[in-house]
Amino acid sequence: MTIQTRKERERAERERLIVTAARELAESEGWDAVTTRRLAAEIEYSQPVLYSHFKGKDAIMAAVAVQGCADLADELHAARTAAKGTRAALTAVGETYTAFGRRRPALYDAMFTYRVDLPFATDEAPEPLKRAFGEIAASVEPIAGEGEDLGVLTETYWAGLHGLVTLMRSGRLPERDHEQRLALLIGHFTADASR
């Protein structure tokens, strides 16, 4: 192994360590607890080392969001491909998405609530973002009508799921009715589909 290869590998490992530490700290104490000073202490590197990898907390949050989208895409893919039929796939994706948001609140916030410097809905979007959106789109595609914009239909379904997650987490919607709300959302999306 060349010195250059070893340095690149060590750099990538430090970046993973920073992102993992930020994610774990945010999940246990919230994003306000994630500071470069605190991260430096957690991973036992100096703040200048952190800044040699990331410009600051916002860049770290963006890296956490990308990692979270990769995790979400994997979970959505597994749920969607295990389901039999259109309604079952839409239900599996909806259940998986909302469970992810409720189970990983700080990660979900970095991905979809806080403003992060990531391009969404563009060709420049990182691949994990495209994959997560693509899994939702794949579950919605069979119900898209002729000439209907799949992107807009997918965004609408995603917005419904996101609304359920954020309103339940903030206490605006009671947890006990989640399954009923999700069934109603899916029912409206599949009302015209005979699948």
Side-chain angles (χ1 to χ4, degrees):
M1 171 186 325
T2 68
I3 292 174
Q4 181 65 27
T5 303
R6 183 177 51 87
K7 284 183 179 184
E8 288 171 5
R9 195 173 75 207
E10 288 171 354
R11 180 172 178 78
E13 183 54 38
R14 274 192 310 272
E15 282 185 13
R16 278 191 295 277
L17 183 63
I18 294 166
V19 170
T20 300
R23 184 174 169 167
E24 289 172 355
L25 185 57
E27 287 293 342
S28 66
E29 298 181 36
W31 280 106
D32 287 342
V34 180
T35 64
T36 54
R37 180 179 305 243
R38 179 85 183 270
L39 283 175
E42 291 283 327
I43 64 170
E44 299 177 349
Y45 281 102
S46 68
Q47 282 183 282
V49 170
L50 261 70
Y51 285 115
S52 74
H53 291 275
F54 297 100
K55 291 181 182 176
K57 180 178 175 176
D58 291 346
I60 294 169
M61 283 181 72
V64 168
V66 170
Q67 185 186 67
C69 284
D71 294 348
L72 177 61
D74 292 344
E75 288 186 30
L76 293 175
H77 178 77
R80 181 182 60 79
T81 56
K84 304 293 184 224
T86 299
R87 188 178 181 105
L90 203 60
T91 300
V93 164
E95 288 172 346
T96 300
Y97 182 94
T98 56
F100 184 94
R102 292 159 61 211
R103 186 177 74 247
R104 308 299 303 267
L107 178 57
Y108 187 86
D109 286 344
M111 294 162 60
F112 301 124
T113 304
Y114 294 140
R115 188 170 193 75
V116 292
D117 189 22
L118 287 173
F120 282 84
T122 69
D123 290 339
E124 292 79 34
E127 194 58 35
L129 278 65
K130 291 178 185 177
R131 281 193 319 115
F133 185 79
E135 288 300 328
I136 299 170
S139 72
V140 170
E141 187 174 21
I143 65 166
E146 190 173 323
E148 194 165 18
D149 186 324
L150 177 61
V152 171
L153 187 62
T154 303
E155 290 167 350
T156 303
Y157 183 56
W158 177 27
L161 297 174
H162 177 72
L164 290 174
V165 170
T166 56
L167 290 170
M168 273 190 304
R169 283 186 40 216
S170 66
R172 268 77 171 178
L173 295 177
E175 185 82 24
R176 70 179 180 276
D177 297 326
H178 172 65
E179 289 180 19
Q180 183 180 355
R181 280 189 219 96
L182 188 58
L184 284 169
L185 177 66
I186 293 163
H188 283 287
F189 267 82
T190 59
D192 295 333
S194 57
R195 296 167 188 90

